[in-house]
Amino acid sequence: NAGVTQTPKFRILKIGQSMTLQCTQDMNHNYMYWYRQDPGMGLKLIYYSVGAGITDKGEVPNGYNVSRSTTEDFPLRLELAAPSQTSVYFCASSYADSTEAFFGQGTRLTVV
Amino acid sequence: QKEVEQNSGPLSVPEGAIASLNCTYSDRGSQSFFWYRQYSGKSPELIMSIYSNGDKEDGRFTAQLNKASQYVSLLIRDSQPSDSATYLCAVFAGGTSYGKLTFGQGTILTVHP
């Protein structure tokens, strides 16, 4: 059972480049999330989705875009990468409001 | 005002002591509250969930919820060095922001032998 799978695990981007962080879950969860975590800090919500075709902004959405065309996939797009986007990115999913969120292994992104 | 705020750390306790971690939240409509543990370089993992006012115990862990004060806490009894980690409070938003899961900034706990 795979759970939440994120790719890639590591990536180095040059300033101004773009990339997509992939996230897929096989638990048929309705809710999916993208967070970023800077060193020594908590998780900051970038975007979230409560179902296919529905997305909403979190605390720090600037510089990112998402889409949710299927229940399983929730890719995060970075356009025009900046050094401030250097962080560890976590994707998570949960079935409903009252249930546990499961996390992927994280993607460590460095923008140089 | 931050949506979810944890008491600033880091927190250092001796082995065998009680560690107390606190969290406040701003959305009065919130109904679901969680504590996650995160070891360095790893993903967060759930240790406790609580939905009703009062205490909920699971082994050495006790979560406490007071909705009137918008306050959630986690007590770790008989702390062990293996409990050393970052503890994250998480809250599901209520009302029109349903599905939004917000985390606090985390409290780093160190249990020293």
Side-chain angles (χ1 to χ4, degrees):
Chain A
N1 50 350
V4 179
T5 302
Q6 288 183 238
T7 55
K9 289 189 172 60
F10 303 94
R11 183 72 185 267
I12 298 174
L13 273 184
K14 293 185 178 178
I15 294 171
Q17 287 186 321
S18 300
M19 75 164 294
T20 299
L21 281 66
Q22 300 292 345
C23 176
T24 187
Q25 53 92 7
D26 62 359
M27 298 174 282
N28 200 31
H29 284 173
N30 297 311
Y31 298 173
M32 295 189 75
Y33 307 87
W34 275 107
Y35 297 91
R36 61 175 287 172
Q37 186 173 37
D38 299 324
M41 304 294 286
L43 300 173
K44 292 183 180 177
L45 182 63
I46 304 172
Y47 272 95
Y48 67 104
S49 169
V50 297
I54 307 169
T55 62
D56 212 340
K57 295 178 181 179
E59 306 164 79
V60 290
N62 292 343
Y64 307 95
N65 277 301
V66 293
S67 60
R68 183 102 182 263
S69 55
T70 67
T71 299
E72 295 78 21
D73 300 306
F74 191 40
L76 178 71
R77 178 81 177 161
L78 278 73
E79 305 281 1
L80 299 175
S84 61
Q85 293 178 306
T86 294
S87 191
V88 178
Y89 291 83
F90 287 102
C91 178
S93 72
S94 68
Y95 183 70
D97 279 24
S98 58
T99 60
E100 175 183 0
F102 292 85
F103 285 80
Q105 319 97 303
T107 296
R108 186 173 296 274
L109 175 68
T110 302
V111 182
V112 296
Chain B
Q1 182 186 7
K2 290 183 181 177
E3 293 183 44
V4 181
E5 197 150 6
Q6 296 183 234
N7 58 328
S8 57
L11 180 63
S12 181
V13 300
E15 185 174 356
I18 295 175
S20 176
L21 300 95
N22 303 313
C23 174
T24 57
Y25 59 95
S26 61
D27 181 358
R28 283 199 169 274
S30 298
Q31 298 294 328
S32 304
F33 308 88
F34 305 86
W35 283 98
Y36 285 79
R37 177 176 61 199
Q38 185 180 27
Y39 292 113
S40 182
K42 301 295 186 182
S43 304
E45 55 181 356
L46 181 74
I47 51 173
M48 290 287 285
S49 59
I50 187 165
Y51 310 106
S52 305
N53 280 330
D55 295 358
K56 179 181 177 182
E57 188 174 318
D58 184 0
R60 296 185 295 111
F61 299 96
T62 299
Q64 299 173 317
L65 174 61
N66 183 327
K67 290 184 180 179
S69 301
Q70 294 174 246
Y71 176 89
V72 191
S73 67
L74 180 70
L75 298 176
I76 306 174
R77 291 183 301 281
D78 188 24
S79 296
Q80 300 297 309
S82 58
D83 294 327
S84 298
T86 297
Y87 289 80
L88 299 160
C89 174
V91 179
F92 265 110
T96 55
S97 295
Y98 77 92
K100 184 179 183 182
L101 180 61
T102 302
F103 283 78
Q105 69 271 35
T107 299
I108 299 172
L109 172 66
T110 302
V111 181
H112 52 88

